[in-house]
Amino acid sequence: MGKLRVVGKARREYTCDIMYIKLSFKAWADDTAQAIATSMSQCDMFLEILEQQGIDINMIHMSNADVSQEMYDEKHEISAEREIELRLPFDMNVINRLSEIIKENNLKVDMDISFKLTNMLALHEQLLKEAVLDSKKKAEMLAAAMGQKVVGIEKLDAGDRYRACDSEEKAYYDQFSHKIGEVHQRSRSNRLQAPLVTEFESVDVEWIIE
């Protein structure tokens, strides 16, 4: 009876199905009150437009509010920022419509979008199973070359890389997906698909052979 240590790997490409949209409304002024008032009014204007289109803004999250000051040429400049976040299913029409709203109303805002998978934990559990099977297949091939066979597992190390991922990305809201208005000028980019992401797993298995 002997032992054979074999690393198994699994890798797949998936299409992201949700998007996190962060909108940061920024303003600069000579005094704190003016900077805060401007950033708040810009944010409120944007929320009002969304509400007029039937979106429940109670479902939108505040993600940051900041006021800071810096010195330029011996003069204080105050900056204020108010950041909100929308979590919703991937929809290019929504991205384009939000861009139109920003453009049409000349809003001073930064928009940052990240794309994710809702079922990350389940996907990685499946990849781990495939990685173990990959290790077993390799071990059986090597054992056969030595006139032996695999009879069991002595030790398996799967690590915990995937557990550090955002494994429960299910906090998104279907009501956003179709209530927001269609883009006024139909864009070819509305037909674009969601970004692709490659996920992988590896396991280190010590097989028992005889």
Side-chain angles (χ1 to χ4, degrees), residues 103-118:
K103 178 186 70 175
E104 291 166 358
N105 296 276
N106 196 29
L107 297 172
K108 305 293 189 297
V109 57
D110 292 339
M111 182 167 69
D112 179 70
I113 307 175
S114 57
F115 303 93
K116 301 187 179 184
L117 298 165
T118 56

Side-chain angles (χ1 to χ4, degrees), residues 48-62:
E48 181 180 0
I49 294 169
L50 294 186
E51 196 165 37
Q52 289 171 352
Q53 298 195 14
I55 290 177
D56 182 6
I57 63 173
N58 290 320
M59 302 301 290
I60 298 175
H61 298 266
M62 166 69 78

Side-chain angles (χ1 to χ4, degrees), residues 24-64:
S24 179
F25 299 85
K26 299 179 180 179
W28 293 265
D30 295 333
D31 64 272
T32 304
Q34 181 60 48
I36 293 175
T38 301
S39 65
M40 286 185 64
S41 64
Q42 293 267 302
C43 183
D44 286 346
M45 180 190 300
F46 181 80
L47 292 173
E48 181 180 0
I49 294 169
L50 294 186
E51 196 165 37
Q52 289 171 352
Q53 298 195 14
I55 290 177
D56 182 6
I57 63 173
N58 290 320
M59 302 301 290
I60 298 175
H61 298 266
M62 166 69 78
S63 58
N64 187 46

